[in-house]
Amino acid sequence: QVQLVESGGDSVQAGGSLRLSCAASGLTFSSYCMGWFRQAPGKEREGVAVIYTGGGGAYYDNSVEGRFSISRDNAKTTVYLQMNSLKPEDTAMYYCSTNVYGPSAGTWFGNCRFNYWGKGTQVTVSS
């Protein structure tokens, strides 16, 4: 059974930094696109960042480009999201995601499919 467990969320002031982690199990981690999504109260879930398999690079939503950095450690089966220069509008529940159910199900973001989610970690940025 696939498990995605996020951690690292906290309350910080604007301009601060946080590092989120997502520990994955139950899948051949190195073979999967991994992504971070977020959902603010009253808003739809949106894609934040994707990291591809191997050395294929990463993709970012325009709203976080230059401030956030996604990385992965295949040996630890963990994906990270380094968030710098945080803004109040970054306040949301952040979710780790991957594709467990195949190529036709779920959300398409950054040239990867996402249809399996962790339970999330809360990030709150105050002004």
Side-chain angles (χ1 to χ4, degrees):
Q1 181 181 359
V2 176
Q3 284 194 315
L4 301 174
V5 181
E6 302 93 335
S7 62
D10 205 344
S11 296
V12 297
Q13 290 194 327
S17 297
L18 283 174
R19 188 195 197 201
L20 306 184
S21 299
C22 170
S25 60
L27 74 169
T28 307
F29 181 79
S30 61
S31 299
Y32 286 76
C33 274
M34 299 298 299
W36 284 98
F37 289 72
R38 65 186 180 186
Q39 187 168 19
K43 295 188 177 181
E44 292 189 355
R45 185 162 50 194
E46 62 179 4
V48 175
V50 174
I51 189 163
Y52 303 114
T53 60
Y59 174 85
Y60 299 92
D61 184 76
N62 287 340
S63 63
V64 305
E65 180 87 53
R67 299 188 298 123
F68 290 11
S69 178
I70 189 171
S71 62
R72 65 192 300 160
D73 185 332
N74 289 336
K76 295 182 178 179
T77 65
T78 299
V79 59
Y80 305 97
L81 186 68
Q82 177 67 44
M83 305 188 297
N84 299 326
S85 302
L86 282 161
K87 304 176 181 180
E89 51 263 43
D90 294 318
T91 295
M93 185 72 79
Y94 282 71
Y95 299 91
C96 179
S97 183
T98 192
N99 179 357
V100 171
Y101 298 117
S104 302
T107 299
W108 187 256
F109 176 68
N111 285 327
C112 287
R113 182 76 68 179
F114 296 97
N115 49 41
Y116 194 87
W117 315 88
K119 293 185 177 181
T121 186
Q122 178 67 39
V123 172
T124 303
V125 185
S126 59
S127 58

